Amino acid sequence: MSSERRKPYPFDQIEPKWQKIWDERQLFHAPNPGEKAFDSKKRKFYVLDMFPYPSGAGLHVGHPEGYTATDIIARYKRMRGFNVLHPMGWDAFGLPAEQYAIKSGQHPAITTRENVVKFKSQLKRIGFSYDWQREINTTDPGYFKWTQWIFLQIYNSWFNPATNNAEPIKTYRGKNPDEVRLAYVADVPVNWCPELGTVLANEEVVDGKSEVGGFPVVRRPMRQWMLRITAYAERLIDELEGLDWPDGIKLLQRNWIGRSEGAEIEFKIDNHDARIRVFTTRPDTLYGATYMVLAPEHSLVDQIVTEEQWPVVREYRERTARKSDLERTELAKEKTGVFTGAFAINPANEEKIPIWIADYVLLGYGTGAIQAVPAHDERDLEFARKFDLPIRQVVQPPGNEDPIGFVGDGVAINSPVIDGLESRDAIRKITEWLEKRGLGKRAINYKLRDWLFSRQRYWGEPFPVVWQDGKHRALDESELPVVPPPLEDYKPTGTGEPPLAKAKDWIRYSDKATRELNVMPQWAGSCWYYLRFCDPQNDKRFVGEDAERYWAAGNHPGTVDLYIGGTEHAVLHLLYARFWHKVLFDLGYLSKPEPFQRLVNQGIILGEDSQKMSKSRGNIVNPDDVIEQYGADAFRLYEMFMGPLEQMKPWSMRGVEGVSRFLARVWRLMMTENQAGEWELSSALKDVDLAKSQNKVLHATIKKVTEDIESLSFNTAISQMMIFVNAFTNAETIPVSAMRTFLVLLNPFAPHLSSELWAQLKPKGDVAEQPWPTYEENFLIEDEVEIVAQVNGKVRDRMYISILATTEEHEAAARSNVKISELIKGKKIRKVVVVPKKLVNIVLE
RNA sequence: GCUCACGUGGCGGAAUUGGCAGACGCGUACGGCUCAGGACCGUAUGGGGCAACCCGUGGAGGUUCGAGUCCUCUCGUGAGCACCA
């Protein structure tokens, strides 16, 4: 039976044995500056995984994909003489643990502890070379003390537009510092999720539903903590430039931040003192503005609406407020809105235009008000047609396109100030014209909103903030950490009041002051964990200065040299972490302006049916089962052999068998089974020189594996190692020296097998401590190369030619070739193309 | 709807700057070794054709002596954004 089947090689004994040895010897510990083992001559390399959320389900085959890639890099870099920082930890605060706790009645701290034990043992079983001395957990008070400390730095600083930097709040000269702090409290319409009993960040809402759980989310005004990430919008876009990230991720971040250039224009209101500012990217269409629209929630609505329009306006506003985001987008096709009764004056032509409210204008973007130019904006056109508003063409399209609904660039018409100008020039001219008259100015707008930073939950970092007389005040550094109170009942209250409100004693900070009841979102802990890894036990500072400088060193803006993880964090974690990092950098705590220099996204692994793995489909592959049957090395190797790291690819158990067979062949290359059924060193192993062809394949393998690891092309590196093994499989004698070199190459991929075989060959030291081999180009060069002979671009024959052959000799060889001369006999030759060492192409008339 | 990425055998995938398409692995077929094998070893394996040869990288054009690779259009798949003025 299959369970009784003999193992192709004894991985079940080898693997635990070496994992134990690595642990005991602490072989993968990276010494910090100041430690005894620290060697200042070694260069550093920081290779990081996105640390997991330790869920109850345990490790998924998707996790080890990126982890194996980083482990190969880490092991490789160590052998190249680098001091390698390769840490692992747990992002353990957050909703799932709490949701589970509510269901099971078990405290999230207990669940978290159990899950961490499980995750850690699973990771150890795969043989990853993490420096476990640096393990961190975001829910440890020793860790979140510093998360809270960073919050204090953010709270106690402001963004100075003059220096384009965050600065301590004491440098602010204005009257009310609370207006400019990078952390502030605001009454804002937020994403309220009744099911989860908390508000969510925009980034956590997908299609009007919560990202966690998929529950409906509604808009509701609430008092919340916000972080002023918008202050960094420009730098977050500009400084992407110096990073080695996939173009797609850079684009995603740029789109999310959503920079657009245009102008702000001020409209007077007829018979009213108030003015309305609008943002537009097309100030050149100002003459075509035939009406205005305010967001229903716009604060001016109350002031300008006329007596007789009040009832419809009120009714419309109430209806919009009740709509969830989902409804608002679902109903997007059908425009709605009502007239306020008020009129604005178009500053360009003094024309009176009606002011409407409609929910297609969003309060959160721009100024929450627009000039509507139906002739040259799709949405305005649709609205104008529905409500019979005038449409006036002011841009002439270049071709024969229909001018109504044309949104591209053309030539301005019906616009006295800019008539005849190309759109780009018209924009410049009209903006200057408005600026001169004090009616408007050039402006840049961002889609990015400030980060909603508070959650009405239990399982998160409490804010280091107290309230007194209705005002917030930050705690002193010395009062950290603020540990959450023990609670019997941590369920959401359902009213929007945080569960911490139930801890009556804890709330009371002093006679007059009470604690902030919200907690931070899950992202807080992961915003800076890569810094803590540099110095995880430091209790004086969030990271020691020497440690930070050492691990961040390098000739580029980023701190971590290589960061591998999933695309799902393209705009969440990766944007938030950059923001925090920049604040800390501005305040002088860090030596580099960016957290992650090189970013690589591993592709999703699909089930055997090429569908996304899911419980309901029943196509989930459990890493434990694979390791049980084929061993950790086969599991690692298969994860890398499947295909390019960044590509989405389906799992295949047959494929695992394939790499497992390869590993068994490696084993049998050096080991044979004796009469008693015990494995012993093969007698074919001899201390002999390599044959020329063997030497060539060895050096080709060193070259290919080295280059492929550098470019993260692990699948082709493995192919090359298979070619190597195939070349030696039937050799009568196996040169020991070639095997030793090969085991070093194999080590990053299959560390257990290579360690065991290395030990069997009895050389000194551990294979992981060997220097990485180098190849000699000389051994790769042949005396002759095969070239292709073509006629009219079609391959007609192949032949060997000296690598020293001249162009003329190439051509002569082709002409004298039997097949070729046959084909060109009596024909006129138009041209002969020679690519040395590659081909000769004879082109006939 | 907009933006981006990707389409190569029965399957996963290889292919510096445009230069032998299909490396390596899976699967399949045949053979060997075996009491046996879903083990191991070997040979073959893009399609068509007895063959010479012809066809072939989603489809249609183009540039070039030469295109999987570059350009245009088109179809399909995946991801992201989605009233952003």
Side-chain angles (χ1 to χ4, degrees), chain A residues 719-841:
Chain A
S719 297
Q720 181 62 38
M721 290 192 280
M722 288 173 168
I723 291 169
F724 175 89
V725 171
N726 290 345
F728 281 84
T729 293
N730 291 313
E732 276 168 35
T733 59
I734 310 280
V736 179
S737 66
M739 291 305 111
R740 285 193 186 136
T741 306
F742 173 71
L743 289 174
V744 177
L745 298 177
L746 180 64
N747 181 255
F749 298 84
H752 309 90
L753 175 67
S754 56
S755 294
E756 178 62 24
L757 288 173
W758 182 267
Q760 291 285 347
L761 294 178
K762 291 191 178 64
K764 285 186 183 145
D766 193 294
V767 61
E769 294 172 318
Q770 303 307 308
W772 190 255
T774 51
Y775 65 91
E776 297 236 11
E777 200 71 54
N778 284 341
F779 294 138
L780 299 177
I781 294 169
E782 299 252 26
D783 303 339
E784 289 196 316
V785 283
E786 196 185 36
I787 66 163
V788 173
Q790 299 181 330
V791 176
N792 287 340
K794 289 204 163 141
V795 179
R796 293 300 166 175
D797 205 3
R798 288 164 193 161
M799 53 202 190
Y800 281 93
I801 192 163
S802 160
I803 57 155
L804 302 170
T806 61
T807 305
E808 291 73 27
E809 284 165 343
H810 275 79
E811 185 176 335
R815 281 174 183 274
S816 60
N817 178 285
V818 183
K819 281 192 190 165
I820 301 298
S821 56
E822 198 68 28
L823 282 158
I824 62 174
K825 199 189 297 171
K827 305 263 172 60
K828 255 203 164 148
I829 291 168
R830 185 148 70 94
K831 188 176 179 183
V832 178
V833 180
V834 175
V835 181
K837 291 190 252 181
K838 286 255 155 72
L839 60 83
V840 178
N841 184 15

Side-chain angles (χ1 to χ4, degrees), chain A residues 665-695:
Chain A
R665 272 208 306 281
V666 173
W667 177 258
R668 288 195 312 268
L669 210 50
M670 287 166 248
M671 305 295 285
T672 48
E673 211 169 4
N674 66 17
Q675 294 290 315
E678 288 156 350
W679 290 104
E680 57 183 30
L681 268 188
S682 162
S683 56
L685 280 167
K686 298 255 166 61
D687 212 349
V688 293
D689 287 342
L690 278 75
K692 199 177 171 195
S693 65
Q694 291 177 328
N695 207 34

Side-chain angles (χ1 to χ4, degrees), chain A residues 191-205:
Chain A
N191 306 299
W192 168 253
C193 179
E195 192 69 30
L196 294 171
T198 185
V199 299
L200 297 168
N202 291 329
E203 291 85 342
E204 293 170 308
V205 180

Side-chain angles (χ1 to χ4, degrees), chain A residues 585-742:
Chain A
F585 173 76
D586 286 357
L587 297 175
Y589 292 112
L590 298 177
S591 56
K592 291 291 183 68
E594 283 282 340
F596 314 116
Q597 183 56 36
R598 183 173 180 204
L599 174 73
V600 174
N601 294 120
Q602 86 263 26
I604 295 169
I605 295 180
L606 305 170
E608 299 240 14
D609 53 1
S610 291
Q611 301 288 310
K612 219 168 179 169
M613 283 194 198
S614 75
K615 250 189 212 155
S616 59
R617 285 204 184 85
N619 59 356
I620 292 182
V621 178
N622 181 347
D624 290 335
D625 299 343
V626 180
I627 293 169
E628 183 65 37
Q629 209 178 341
Y630 299 99
D633 282 336
F635 178 67
R636 293 169 60 111
L637 210 64
Y638 178 66
E639 290 254 0
M640 295 299 99
F641 187 61
M642 289 171 84
L645 182 63
E646 299 186 63
Q647 194 170 300
M648 183 187 288
K649 44 210 177 283
W651 187 269
S652 155
M653 275 304 178
R654 300 266 200 196
V656 183
E657 248 172 81
V659 293
S660 158
R661 273 205 281 269
F662 162 70
L663 290 175
R665 272 208 306 281
V666 173
W667 177 258
R668 288 195 312 268
L669 210 50
M670 287 166 248
M671 305 295 285
T672 48
E673 211 169 4
N674 66 17
Q675 294 290 315
E678 288 156 350
W679 290 104
E680 57 183 30
L681 268 188
S682 162
S683 56
L685 280 167
K686 298 255 166 61
D687 212 349
V688 293
D689 287 342
L690 278 75
K692 199 177 171 195
S693 65
Q694 291 177 328
N695 207 34
K696 190 188 168 195
V697 70
L698 174 65
H699 282 261
T701 302
I702 298 171
K703 181 177 178 176
K704 181 89 177 127
V705 172
T706 307
E707 288 171 356
D708 284 354
I709 290 177
E710 292 281 355
S711 64
L712 310 185
S713 308
F714 303 116
N715 54 331
T716 49
I718 295 166
S719 297
Q720 181 62 38
M721 290 192 280
M722 288 173 168
I723 291 169
F724 175 89
V725 171
N726 290 345
F728 281 84
T729 293
N730 291 313
E732 276 168 35
T733 59
I734 310 280
V736 179
S737 66
M739 291 305 111
R740 285 193 186 136
T741 306
F742 173 71

Side-chain angles (χ1 to χ4, degrees), chain A residues 53-308:
Chain A
Y53 176 81
S55 73
L59 215 60
H60 181 268
V61 287
H63 287 118
E65 188 191 10
Y67 298 168
T68 304
T70 55
D71 198 60
I72 290 167
I73 296 290
R75 288 174 179 270
Y76 165 75
K77 286 282 181 183
R78 282 192 205 100
M79 288 194 268
R80 296 228 77 155
F82 286 81
N83 188 17
V84 174
L85 178 51
H86 186 42
M88 181 44 76
W90 319 105
D91 186 18
F93 271 134
L95 282 172
E98 201 174 333
Q99 290 296 97
Y100 178 76
I102 291 166
K103 253 186 259 161
S104 66
Q106 195 171 38
H107 194 279
I110 295 170
T111 318
T112 300
R113 204 178 311 132
E114 285 171 357
N115 292 350
V116 163
V117 168
K118 181 166 182 191
F119 261 70
K120 191 172 174 180
S121 76
Q122 284 184 305
L123 291 180
K124 286 208 161 187
R125 228 186 137 189
I126 306 173
F128 293 135
S129 64
Y130 293 120
D131 178 359
W132 285 108
Q133 290 179 40
R134 292 174 185 266
E135 179 179 357
I136 58 179
N137 183 326
T138 55
T139 65
D140 277 345
Y143 180 88
F144 69 71
K145 169 184 177 176
W146 298 107
T147 310
Q148 292 169 335
W149 179 87
I150 294 170
F151 176 83
L152 290 183
Q153 309 313 306
I154 296 170
Y155 177 89
N156 286 319
S157 49
W158 69 297
F159 192 83
N160 184 346
T163 58
N164 208 17
N165 266 272
E167 293 178 9
I169 195 74
K170 60 177 181 282
T171 68
Y172 178 65
R173 299 275 160 256
K175 281 175 261 102
N176 185 1
D178 287 351
E179 281 175 1
V180 296
R181 289 179 189 278
L182 289 180
Y184 64 97
V185 173
D187 259 304
V188 288
V190 297
N191 306 299
W192 168 253
C193 179
E195 192 69 30
L196 294 171
T198 185
V199 299
L200 297 168
N202 291 329
E203 291 85 342
E204 293 170 308
V205 180
V206 180
D207 293 332
K209 293 189 192 133
S210 64
E211 195 185 22
V212 176
F215 305 116
V217 172
V218 295
R219 286 256 154 204
R220 161 176 169 182
M222 279 176 80
R223 202 209 63 194
Q224 298 294 328
W225 282 96
M226 309 288 290
L227 298 190
R228 210 177 295 278
I229 190 171
T230 51
Y232 280 87
E234 191 191 327
R235 276 172 62 187
L236 287 169
I237 286 184
D238 293 348
E239 292 168 29
L240 277 174
E241 202 67 35
L243 301 180
D244 184 8
W245 286 20
D247 289 338
I249 300 293
K250 286 190 181 183
L251 194 69
L252 239 47
Q253 289 219 349
R254 275 195 206 101
N255 289 345
W256 189 264
I257 298 167
R259 181 191 148 101
S260 47
E261 270 181 60
E264 274 185 15
I265 305 174
E266 213 161 73
F267 284 67
K268 282 186 198 148
I269 300 169
D270 195 33
N271 291 322
H272 210 283
D273 291 339
R275 286 158 187 240
I276 300 173
R277 286 209 340 266
V278 303
F279 172 75
T280 175
T281 53
R282 293 298 298 268
D284 62 313
T285 60
L286 181 55
Y287 286 92
T290 51
Y291 65 101
M292 263 187 112
V293 187
L294 303 185
E297 310 91 338
H298 198 286
S299 59
L300 271 175
V301 175
D302 288 339
Q303 298 179 41
I304 62 168
V305 68
T306 57
E307 196 82 34
E308 61 271 26

